[in-house]
Amino acid sequence: MGSIDGALLDFKRMERLAAGETALHRLDPRAKLLATFVFIGIVISFDNYAVTALTPFFIFPVVMATLGGLPPRYLIRKIALLSPFALVVGLFNPLFDREVLLQLGGIGITGGWLSFASIALRALLTISSALILVGVTGFTPLCRALEQLGTPRLFVVQLLFLYRYLFILTDEGIRLSRARGLRSFGGRGLGIGSFAPLVGHLLLRTWSRAERIHGAMLARGFSGEFHPSRECRFGAKELLFLGGWSALFVILRLYNLPQLLGTLVTGIQP
Amino acid sequence: MSHHIVEVKNLRHVYPDGGAALQNVSFRITHGESVAIIGANGAGKSTLLLHLNGALLATDGEVRIGDLPLTKKTLPAIRRTVGMVFQDPDDQLFMPTVHDDVAFGPLNLGLTGPEVEQRVHDALERVGVEHLRNKAPYNLSGGEKKRVAIATVLAMSPDILVMDEPTSGLDPFARRQLMGLLREFRHTKIFTSHDLDMVLDLCERTIVLHEGGIMADGPTLELFRDEELLSRCRLEKPLSLQGCPVCGSPARTS
Amino acid sequence: MHMADALLSPAVGGCMWLVSAGTIVYCSRRVRRELDERRVPLMGVLGAFLFAAQMINFSIPATGSSGHLGGGLLLTILLGADAAFLTMASVLVVQALFFADGGLLALGCNLFNMGFIPAFIVYPFIYRKLEGDDPNRKRMVAATILSALAGLQLGPFAVVLETWLSGISALPFSAFLLLMQPIHLAIGVVEGVVTIALLRFVHQARPEILARPRGDAPGNALLVAFLAAAIFTGGALPWFASRHPDGLEWAIAHATGEEKLKDSKRGIHQTLAALQTRTSFMPEYAFRSPPKRVSDNRQSAGPEEKSAGTGTAGVIGVLLTLGAILGSGVILKKLTHPALR
């Protein structure tokens, strides 16, 4: 996550990107959410050693990021920092799966390396598509899409509340952490002894805040019922978007395009 | 217009831990009055305000809004009449956008569609932030947040406006703007504040709280001239009533 | 220990999604039914609190490393199982979207590992049982430490299980388990100690927070449903997956009533099939070998038989594809944002 201030800035940057005004941003969030789900589902449905067949799928993140006007450098840096867990686990594959499956210019490539490459590609594809989804949609519209797709309203409200107070409380957390850091020397005073009251205070303040918010809600006639948010239109454009991408993904799933292309171009007959 | 009257009789409030916050507080505020409640930190100002719309219920004594005594039964009606703006706008603005937040109250009143939109529009325009309607609350400045917070309450068209520390945390310009805004309201207004210059500007009447009880209740200017009273209640004359320490020009006397 | 999309098979991922989505619906109903609307803002800000708390580190004595609060157990003790699950779920959704922690499909697994396990397994069966009806300080401490340990053993265990069932990683089950469990034993102890310290602080400052009614234990229906789902994932789906290594092709073949998809003679199939015969492209592309679970077959089609040429063709094809994608990206950018150029 890097530095904590950085994480917060990152959040705000995503939010600003999501406020863009491209045609992609204006599309009903449901279409984008569903297309991303189809994409991820199909990407992970490939078998363990699929490498070439996965590469054409980069068309989705590249086109989406471009249409949405997301800065590529920012996305690449963010993706590179994310989720090393899959890669670490994947790195064990070459150790356990040492059977040579492929000869490439006299070098034998083992199944382990192939499947590692496959895991890395999957990670890149799935992570980038999720980030781009947020970048071209924004959190609040995504929550609305979830509601319209049948998520219980209580949970949607929970997501919105969390997001609303995220910035305020993380700011508070950063200030607390900084105040403690300024008065601790040589790592002293950073242990659990100071952590518990520090975070405990934050918890109590959070609790009181919840009570005040509840008061403010009651003061405006809240009776336990949230009113549904406005409907968006799922029209022809959305249908075309979802249908087009899904069709492309299915075709790419069924035909290994790069292999075909390579065979055609090189004329090498296996 | 008896329903705009706020009447508090022998109000007593005891915290769950046994400490008394308010004792024997009584006053009556009539229609169109603008009243300040001042006092040192911990004097009981916020606790008193929270009784006015039933966010807290009295341990003893009575609160009447218009013809209605404040009880669990009358709460919905009273909350419609008394609009409460909290000190920290972040507590008040909890919906994802300014529009949704202002619409929250009217929707809870059972209004729908165009009527809600009209109210949202009117309220935002009244406080001069119509252009912010699609923004998220965390992207607003302190002054903007305060205005939107007021709009959320105005959209319920209350008869009585109650505000906790309206000018706290604002820069001088935003404070001035907000005071101008508040002066325009024809509502019955009740503020708490440490900003005594604002009180002097906006409120003809002041109630001084000290350790949970009422110490004084009268015309603002009169009370502010009573230095002995002020210092006993850990308060000070507002700057505009003090002589200038640099040029020695005399204090305002109006 | 977020589970990741990249390690997940569709069967396992989809199944866990169903379990977690079902739990969200179930908990939402229960919280609504309790009619304590104070909970609504409280759950929301406590979710935000968890983010904020995780930004504050503490140093762990004698190790030189630092840790932060996990929070699943703390939330469950403060809010009760239903509300805590929803709160954790909201935190994980935001993490999946903004930090791509794990990913969207793995969200189902992560909700289960870090939300369901502490709220619906550890809390009712370990914490509440140990704490007893008349909790005193000693019992609270023991219950908290053991619950934290259990939660942080079961969670990683679920990660290992999900990874193994998916079969994308070649790590043997036992090796992975040995890798994960001991580390999380230490993390569990730290989590337990931090949770106790926080609870004690809250107890001193505002005892009424901990004295709130915490909602009754979750109904057994949910557990039964979960067990059924687990057995289904654990037993039936891997079997299905190994019998039909290519689920999608299998499904499409079934839907169109044709066993061999490549024989299809319609539309793009036809064109591509013609292309294939012309370039005598291998019907099963050479990069692919039979999936791991049917590895006995691999001997017969030994790797040596695969020509080096196919590999080269594949690499060239990949380069061409990526080039085309990047090129189209650049052109698209020029078309849609002429101002930027």
Side-chain angles (χ1 to χ4, degrees), chain C residues 87-322:
Chain C
T87 311
M88 277 308 277
S90 65
V91 169
L92 290 166
V93 168
V94 171
Q95 282 177 343
L97 285 173
F98 282 84
F99 300 121
D101 261 341
L104 294 184
L105 198 79
L107 195 56
C109 294
N110 288 322
L111 286 184
F112 182 83
N113 304 347
M114 289 183 260
F116 190 97
I117 288 180
F120 290 106
I121 296 177
V122 171
Y123 181 69
F125 294 111
I126 297 178
Y127 186 86
R128 289 294 279 269
K129 290 272 181 315
L130 284 176
E131 185 197 42
D133 292 332
D134 176 32
N136 57 34
R137 204 166 125 176
K138 262 192 200 142
R139 296 185 80 132
M140 278 267 292
V141 169
T144 311
I145 294 266
L146 283 174
S147 303
L149 272 177
L152 279 153
Q153 286 295 296
L154 287 174
F157 179 72
V159 171
V160 174
L161 204 63
E162 287 151 4
T163 310
W164 178 70
L165 283 174
S166 296
I168 306 288
S169 160
L171 253 174
F173 185 70
S174 54
F176 196 10
L177 213 57
L178 274 174
L179 215 65
M180 291 284 275
Q181 303 304 113
I183 302 173
H184 284 93
L185 207 60
I187 298 177
V189 172
V190 172
E191 177 77 10
V193 170
V194 173
T195 306
I196 288 174
L198 278 172
L199 285 174
R200 187 171 293 169
F201 182 87
V202 171
H203 183 72
Q204 277 166 4
R206 286 187 66 180
E208 81 275 10
I209 288 180
L210 290 174
R212 260 160 218 266
R214 300 171 207 171
D216 30 284
N220 288 332
L222 185 68
L223 268 169
V224 171
F226 154 67
L227 277 177
I231 291 164
F232 182 60
T233 339
L237 280 175
W239 174 82
F240 168 84
S242 64
R243 292 300 301 273
H244 303 281
D246 213 336
L248 191 74
E249 271 177 30
W250 178 81
I252 290 175
H254 250 247
T256 54
E258 287 164 282
E259 260 317 298
K260 202 97 179 105
L261 199 68
K262 305 265 195 264
D263 291 341
S264 160
K265 292 271 179 264
R266 273 173 291 130
I268 188 149
H269 281 260
Q270 202 169 6
T271 345
L272 281 171
L275 245 163
Q276 276 169 14
T277 40
R278 207 145 43 102
T279 57
S280 53
F281 178 70
M282 266 179 85
E284 298 284 323
Y285 50 88
F287 255 4
R288 199 170 118 199
S289 75
K292 286 184 62 52
R293 278 177 219 290
V294 279
S295 57
D296 348 353
N297 305 352
R298 206 186 273 168
Q299 303 308 95
S300 58
E304 280 74 23
E305 283 171 37
K306 294 194 170 127
S307 87
T310 324
T312 318
V315 171
I316 289 171
V318 165
L319 291 177
L320 283 173
T321 311
L322 288 180

Side-chain angles (χ1 to χ4, degrees), chain A residues 12 15 140 144 160-161 163-165 167-168 209 212-223 225-230, chain B residues 53 79 82 84 86 88-97 99-102 104-105 107-108 136-139 152-153 156:
Chain A
K12 290 185 176 160
E15 187 68 17
T140 308
R144 296 226 164 95
L160 291 173
F161 257 110
Y163 195 65
R164 168 68 183 89
Y165 288 97
F167 297 103
I168 292 174
R209 186 185 286 279
R212 291 198 303 273
I213 296 167
H214 185 239
M217 291 166 75
L218 288 182
R220 286 195 274 148
F222 179 68
S223 55
E225 193 59 47
F226 275 92
H227 298 272
S229 31
R230 290 152 295 171
Chain B
N53 78 338
R79 284 181 175 153
V82 182
M84 171 95 75
F86 285 67
D88 182 352
D90 278 323
D91 294 338
Q92 185 126 12
L93 307 176
F94 44 80
M95 297 293 277
T97 65
H99 169 277
D100 290 359
D101 215 303
V102 179
F104 179 83
L107 283 172
N108 285 332
Y138 44 78
N139 287 332
T152 64
V153 169
M156 314 256 305

